[in-house]
Amino acid sequence: MSPKNSPLRIAILCRVSTEKQGDGRKESLALQEKQTKAAVDSLGGTITKEYKGTQHATPGYEKAMVDRLLEDAQRKRKPFDAVMVAEPSRWSRDNAASATGLEVLRGKGIRFFCGSTEYDLFDPTATFLLAQFATINQYLASTQKQKAVRAKI
């Protein structure tokens, strides 16, 4: 954890599910990066690690980028004190993986932000809300996938 007078050291996670999302859509990497950097600035923090790229957040997909983030969170000399995403679906659309990842962060004293809003991982209401976001986003991703399959049939 950073000393009280030091800026908060923040890792940003900017993620899209498909390569197509990277060119100008609302969920694009560029927009997420802009949003998270503005939020970090508003908090007076410093970005010390960036995890950016294409990675599904739904169940059944490899989550190498988030796995690297969680491995870094468990290092003896952690490169960050907080993790930030632009909005909850960028963290996870897999409730089980979300809960596991947030537990790792909580256990290591790492704070969690969606934009400039902090979700206290020791607060049952905050963790409940994050679980609900993951569940809702998992449902939305599943229905989109189902629609795509039906459209091909």
Side-chain angles (χ1 to χ4, degrees):
M1 191 130 343
S2 60
K4 288 194 183 226
N5 294 332
S6 297
L8 188 60
R9 299 175 311 137
I10 301 173
I12 60 170
L13 173 64
C14 302
R15 183 199 61 71
V16 293
S17 298
T18 64
E19 293 291 338
K20 287 191 256 178
Q21 287 180 305
D23 10 309
R25 287 185 53 186
K26 183 179 173 196
E27 299 85 14
S28 74
L29 288 174
L31 180 57
Q32 289 177 53
E33 187 173 8
K34 181 179 178 182
Q35 290 170 332
T36 53
K37 286 183 175 185
V40 169
D41 287 345
S42 76
L43 295 169
T46 303
I47 296 172
T48 56
K49 195 84 172 164
E50 296 183 16
Y51 303 86
K52 299 185 299 191
T54 302
Q55 174 179 284
H56 276 275
T58 51
Y61 286 92
E62 178 185 9
K63 295 172 177 57
M65 192 171 16
V66 171
D67 290 345
R68 278 194 317 275
L69 182 151
L70 295 173
E71 287 170 12
D72 288 346
Q74 296 176 77
R75 291 179 186 221
K76 187 173 183 175
R77 300 186 84 170
K78 297 183 291 283
F80 49 83
D81 306 306
V83 170
M84 180 183 288
V85 292
E87 51 94 8
S89 73
R90 302 301 88 201
W91 169 248
S92 185
R93 292 180 174 169
D94 177 341
N95 202 15
S98 174
T100 300
L102 293 172
E103 183 60 34
V104 167
L105 298 179
R106 182 175 77 170
K108 295 300 177 179
I110 294 173
R111 296 163 66 181
F112 187 80
F113 292 82
C114 292
S116 59
T117 301
E118 182 170 7
Y119 287 83
D120 179 352
L121 300 179
F122 293 92
D123 178 359
T125 301
T127 56
F128 170 78
L129 289 172
L130 290 169
Q132 294 310 299
F133 288 137
T135 299
I136 290 165
N137 289 316
Q138 181 175 332
Y139 165 74
L140 293 172
S142 297
T143 57
Q144 285 300 105
K145 183 178 179 181
Q146 185 180 48
K147 287 177 187 178
V149 168
R150 287 181 179 161
K152 290 179 183 178
I153 293 175

